[in-house]
Amino acid sequence: DGGITQSPKYLFRKEGQNVTLSCEQNLNHDAMYWYRQDPGQGLRLIYYSQIVNDFQKGDIAEGYSVSREKKESFPLTVTSAQKNPTAFYLCATAGLTRGGDEQFFGPGTRLTVL
Amino acid sequence: GDSVTQMEGPVTLSEEAFLTINCTYTATGYPSLFWYVQYPGEGLQLLLKATKADDKGSNKGFEATYRKETTSFHLEKGSVQVSDSAVYFCALSEWYSGGGADGLTFGKGTHLIIQP
């Protein structure tokens, strides 16, 4: 099946620990994105990457890091510097053709920091 | 910067009622516009899109028309069903002349509740 896989679906961590969220895609899309969703806040962009080995900060990058070593994978690390990491994290991809710039979303990972 | 404003919910309607969810935007260029739907505990699904002025996107009985003169992209459906209960997000994407687009800019979402 073609699609976007995020794992795990639920993740619990203790305060002060780094945690890495997985995002894998087999859609052959060039661009990948990470968003954070909080109740009543919509989605906010954390990081994005339009090509392997390159990525850019979004609106709320502080306390997060990413890598893009393979086209298929874009893991997000939530570091201990992120002050309020409990949220729903969504990964998305896009093919980046004009008129085809809609993004496709994975099922999300709900992170709870205890 | 870009921004999207949509009516806040929850919006509660009876089954078979007419639905309108308002969405207006501010953008520096000529954006593509989208409506996404999110069911509880899931990711977002693209509902419909429009890429130029006067385009009408449609899917599953939902429609929205790209109105450049009023910078709006209102979502409508003639007769809603209980299964339409979800959160709906309006979003835009700016396309750059050098090619590519950065992240979507989202509204805060509208929670729609359809009662039988």
Side-chain angles (χ1 to χ4, degrees), chain B residues 59-78:
Chain B
N59 185 26
K60 300 181 181 180
F62 291 90
E63 294 182 339
T65 301
Y66 190 141
R67 300 290 188 198
K68 193 169 189 297
E69 64 277 12
T70 55
T71 62
S72 65
F73 193 54
H74 305 322
L75 182 68
E76 296 182 336
K77 186 175 185 183

Side-chain angles (χ1 to χ4, degrees), chain A residues 9 33 35 37 40-43 45 48 50 88 90 96-103 105-107, chain B residues 30 32 34 36 38 41-44 46 49 51 89 93 95 99-104 106-108:
Chain A
K9 188 171 179 64
Y33 308 81
Y35 293 90
Q37 185 178 20
Q41 293 295 317
L43 278 73
L45 182 66
Y48 65 102
Q50 297 191 0
F88 190 48
L90 288 158
L96 290 188
T97 58
R98 186 61 177 110
D101 47 346
E102 66 263 34
Q103 295 184 9
F105 285 80
Chain B
Y30 203 156
S32 297
F34 308 89
Y36 283 86
Q38 184 179 35
E42 298 183 5
L44 276 66
L46 179 66
K49 71 173 186 179
T51 59
F89 291 93
S93 173
W95 186 262
D102 60 12
L104 293 171
F106 285 89
K108 292 187 176 182

Side-chain angles (χ1 to χ4, degrees), chain A residues 16-102:
Chain A
Q17 289 182 333
N18 291 357
V19 59
T20 298
L21 281 59
S22 168
C23 178
E24 303 281 333
Q25 57 110 350
N26 62 6
L27 300 171
N28 200 34
H29 283 170
D30 289 307
M32 297 187 74
Y33 308 81
W34 275 105
Y35 293 90
R36 170 181 171 139
Q37 185 178 20
D38 296 282
Q41 293 295 317
L43 278 73
R44 293 179 290 169
L45 182 66
I46 305 172
Y47 269 99
Y48 65 102
S49 168
Q50 297 191 0
I51 195 170
V52 173
N53 292 324
D54 189 42
F55 48 83
Q56 285 77 41
K57 293 181 179 180
D59 300 319
I60 56 164
E62 184 175 353
Y64 300 96
S65 65
V66 294
S67 62
R68 186 87 185 276
E69 297 177 0
K70 299 186 301 182
K71 186 176 184 177
E72 300 79 17
S73 178
F74 191 42
L76 173 74
T77 296
V78 184
T79 75
S80 57
Q82 170 49 234
K83 294 179 181 177
N84 185 18
T86 294
F88 190 48
Y89 290 88
L90 288 158
C91 177
T93 71
L96 290 188
T97 58
R98 186 61 177 110
D101 47 346
E102 66 263 34

Side-chain angles (χ1 to χ4, degrees), chain A residues 37 43 88 90 103-107, chain B residues 6 19 21 34-49 59-60 62 73 75 77 81-91 104 106-107 109-114:
Chain A
Q37 185 178 20
L43 278 73
F88 190 48
L90 288 158
Q103 295 184 9
F104 299 86
F105 285 80
Chain B
Q6 61 182 104
L19 168 71
I21 300 178
F34 308 89
W35 276 101
Y36 283 86
V37 58
Q38 184 179 35
Y39 298 99
E42 298 183 5
L44 276 66
Q45 301 175 25
L46 179 66
L47 183 59
L48 53 85
K49 71 173 186 179
N59 185 26
K60 300 181 181 180
F62 291 90
F73 193 54
L75 182 68
K77 186 175 185 183
Q81 306 300 314
V82 171
S83 57
D84 294 327
S85 299
V87 180
Y88 292 80
F89 291 93
C90 185
L104 293 171
F106 285 89
T110 301
H111 185 194
L112 176 65
I113 301 169
I114 307 300

